Each structure stands twice: as structure tokens, then as C-alpha cells.
Amino acid sequence: MTDAAESPARTGLTVVIPCYNEADNIQPSYREILAELGTLDLEIIYVDDGSTDGTLEAIRRIAESDPRVQYISFTRNFGFEAAFSAGYRYASRPWILHIDADQQFPAAEAWVLIEAAEHGHDAVFGVRTNRQDPRLRRWGTAAFHYIGRRILRIEIPRGATAFRLVRSDLAREIVDLRLPTPYFLATVPRLTNRYTTVPVRHRPRTRGESKVGFGFLSAHAVELFVGFSSRPTTAASIGTLLSGLLALLLTAASAAGLVGGHAIAAMLLLLLAVVLFTLSLTVRHLVVLGGAQARPRQFYIRESTLPVRDDDRLCVTSRFLGATP
Ligand code: UDP
Ligand code: MG
């Protein structure tokens, strides 16, 4: 059991809300968060991930009327990993609650995470007990976790979602690592073993559409697989070697008159395909790891109520509002 004084309920909480085209969700989510957590020492950071639908205007209105509300707005859409990373970097309270803008995770479930954090954890991840998303999404997530955890042996908290409570210094450390493959879920277990998962309720989306498509999710998954495991490239290399041996055998068999020309051509094409696949995985692996260089930039900020770092701002167009020194 952690010291009660360290409980997020006592020390204060920064709520980070990534938003991409969520204009209709800003007010309702703000009201729900206040109704549930309004008694805490609260900071709310909305991260506008380059929305084009009035999301930023809705956030500005709330920020003008409530000094607990801050925001960061990106120059364009950089994806949810970048959006929450920016919020994590500038959180001022000792704990961060990450919650989506669409209210799929009820704010009341934050208490379940808080209660678990009080047992000495640095990070607590919500797991959807009754996920309210289309079947294809659920299957995709199951496949992702199976490949990542079981086949590639990447340590990812089982069933973990973005609805989570994390110590701010841990979250900031992860963002400041500037990993070539920023993947929060897989990085937490590398920095601490004091993490856990707890079941939480989940609701269907009632306003707006899901912003994460199949293309984005699969690209993000491949980044994780090749960035956090060398198994895909090793398996592809072994595959190339084996098909090379097979091609050699077939050539010998054809020279001995045992198989015809078509079989040889088919085998050579297969070999070519395997070689290209290996090559693409290897190149991806190298690009992702970037020769071990830190990723130069995950996002550009165009506007913020927070005193953001110069190197996070796009200086040409930013309007630094500098609420607090
Ligand atoms: N989001 C974001 N940038 C993106 C995509 C999504 O900031 O490029 C936000 C989105 O507005 C929402 C949260 O991330 O608050 C989760 O997105 P969404 O609800 O679309 O994902 P799903 O619940 O379908 O997995
Ligand atoms: Mg959602």
C-alpha cells in the first residue's frame, strides 16, 4: 500500500484529453469530468490534434471560463500517440489521468484506477470488460495483442487501453526518451514493473466517429512489432534462407530432369517474394530504429495556454498566450 498522501486523489491530477475533430464532445466530456473529479486539485489539458471542425474554438471557450483548463493545439494532425505525449509532457500535477474526448470511458471509472494506484503502482491501465466497438475492431485488437505478446514476446500490459492513470514523472520520462518508435504501452514495462490493469466499463460512441482507421492502426502495430522485437526480421531472414535452399534443390532436380521449367519459374518468383519481404522488414527495422537516433520531433504546437518549450513550437505561426510563467 502506498503512502495515502501520495494518492492521486490527494496530490492532484492532470486530466489529459487528446482530441481530433471532437467539437461536439468537448463540452459534454468537460462537464462529466468536473462532475466526477471536480473536488480534486485538477488541471485539464485538452490537446487539439490539428482538428478542422471547431474543436479548438470549443476548447478555447472552456479555457476562457475555467482557469483549471489548459490546451495545446497542433499545427496539423499528428496522431493520438503524439497528442497524448504532448499533454503528458506539460502536465503539472503528480498524476495523469488519460481519457478520450468521446466519453467511451466513463469519467466515474477514474476512481477504479485511483483506487488501484493507491496500492503502490506507477501506472494503472483500464481494460474494457464489455468493449462497445465494432466486432472487426475487437478482433483486430485481439490479433494485435496475440502477435505482440505471445509471438513476439513484447511486454504489453494485457488488454491495456489508453484509459489510464500514470505518475507524471514516469510519463514525462517516456516522452522525453524521444524513442524512434514512440509506443507508450510497451515502454512502461521497460521502465517500471509497478504497473497493473483493472477492468473498467466502456460505452459506445454517441457523437462523432472513431478517428483511428484500420490503416493507421496496422501501421502503428507494425512499428511496435519491428521497433520492439527483432523476431520479425529474424523470421524473415530464416524464411529467405530456407526458400533459397529449396530453390537450389529444385534447380538440381530440374538439371536431373525430375521437374519441369514451370516449377522452377514459380520457385524463383517465390524466392524473390521472400527476399523482398525480408528486405522490406529489415529496412523498416532500420528506419524505425533510426540508427539509434532520437526521433527529432513528434509534433509541432501552434497555440497553447501553457508555456511550451521553444523546440515544441512552430515559431513562425505560433501565438504564445503564456498563461503562467
Ligand atoms: N485522437 C487524436 N488524434 C488522432 C486520432 C484520435 O487525438 O489522430 C483522439 C480522439 O479524438 C479521441 C481519442 O484520441 O479523443 C481516441 O480516439 P477514437 O475514439 O477515435 O478511438 P477509438 O475509441 O475508436 O479507438
Ligand atoms: Mg473512442
Side-chain angles (χ1 to χ4, degrees):
M1 190 79 152
T2 206
D3 183 351
E6 269 199 69
S7 163
R10 282 176 180 268
T11 58
L13 196 63
T14 295
V15 183
V16 171
I17 314 168
C19 319
Y20 179 47
N21 290 346
E22 302 281 6
D24 295 339
N25 282 316
I26 303 300
Q27 265 291 342
S29 74
Y30 166 70
R31 278 200 299 271
E32 189 188 15
I33 288 164
L34 277 198
E36 285 299 336
L37 306 166
T39 54
L40 305 184
D41 171 22
L42 210 61
E43 172 188 52
I44 302 177
I45 302 181
Y46 283 95
V47 185
D48 163 40
D49 187 8
S51 302
T52 51
D53 72 338
T55 295
L56 179 57
E57 290 71 16
I59 296 172
R60 275 203 205 107
R61 273 197 295 279
I62 296 176
E64 275 161 17
S65 64
D66 186 344
R68 290 170 293 187
V69 176
Q70 309 287 348
Y71 68 84
I72 291 166
S73 178
F74 288 171
T75 51
R76 48 154 276 187
N77 180 241
F78 284 97
F80 66 83
E81 189 91 21
F84 68 70
S85 296
Y88 291 4
R89 172 169 287 163
Y90 294 106
S92 71
R93 302 301 193 269
W95 288 86
I96 291 168
L97 171 72
H98 176 145
I99 190 164
D100 291 345
D102 58 7
Q103 297 182 286
Q104 286 202 261
F105 293 100
E109 297 296 285
W111 291 106
V112 180
L113 305 186
I114 291 173
E115 213 265 316
E118 286 170 351
H119 287 81
H121 294 108
D122 298 324
V124 183
F125 297 90
V127 176
R128 294 167 282 221
T129 43
N130 58 336
R131 185 170 179 188
Q132 300 296 310
D133 280 326
R135 190 172 299 163
L136 219 56
R137 282 290 304 276
R138 300 203 302 268
W139 288 348
T141 306
F144 163 79
H145 275 270
Y146 184 80
I147 296 171
R149 286 171 49 89
R150 304 293 291 274
I151 300 182
L152 303 180
R153 305 262 175 228
I154 302 169
E155 192 175 343
I156 314 167
R158 185 191 286 266
T161 62
F163 182 57
R164 55 202 173 208
L165 185 68
V166 189
R167 278 188 198 277
S168 303
D169 48 8
L170 172 65
R172 215 168 1 253
E173 206 169 321
I174 292 176
V175 175
D176 287 341
L177 282 175
R178 291 165 63 194
L179 292 176
T181 321
Y183 213 109
F184 194 82
L185 272 190
T187 312
V188 168
R190 292 184 165 194
L191 269 59
T192 177
N193 55 12
R194 296 194 310 175
Y195 68 87
T196 192
T197 55
V198 288
V200 292
R201 282 184 300 129
H202 192 241
R203 299 184 292 213
R205 205 185 234 276
T206 51
R207 285 175 298 270
E209 289 169 354
S210 171
K211 306 303 180 313
V212 290
F214 178 75
F216 175 81
L217 285 175
S218 35
H220 202 45
V222 169
E223 289 234 322
L224 172 77
F225 297 159
V226 296
F228 283 73
S229 169
S230 54
R231 285 187 176 205
T233 38
T234 307
S237 305
I238 293 171
T240 308
L241 200 70
L242 291 179
S243 55
L245 281 176
L246 200 64
L248 213 65
L249 280 178
L250 266 175
T251 313
S254 127
L258 297 173
V259 289
H262 286 312
I264 295 292
M267 269 323 291
L268 287 179
L269 277 177
L270 181 70
L271 177 64
L272 190 69
V274 177
V275 168
L276 286 177
F277 180 62
T278 306
L279 209 62
S280 71
L281 274 183
T282 310
V283 168
R284 190 84 198 102
H285 186 67
L286 290 175
V287 168
V288 161
L289 294 183
Q293 283 172 14
R295 176 172 280 208
R297 183 168 302 285
Q298 220 181 331
F299 51 80
Y300 281 106
I301 295 172
R302 63 180 164 191
E303 180 179 325
S304 179
T305 50
L306 291 163
V308 296
R309 292 181 348 199
D310 275 352
D311 62 339
D312 277 348
R313 247 183 309 150
L314 186 66
C315 296
V316 192
T317 57
S318 71
R319 284 191 285 137
F320 175 52
L321 305 177
T324 41

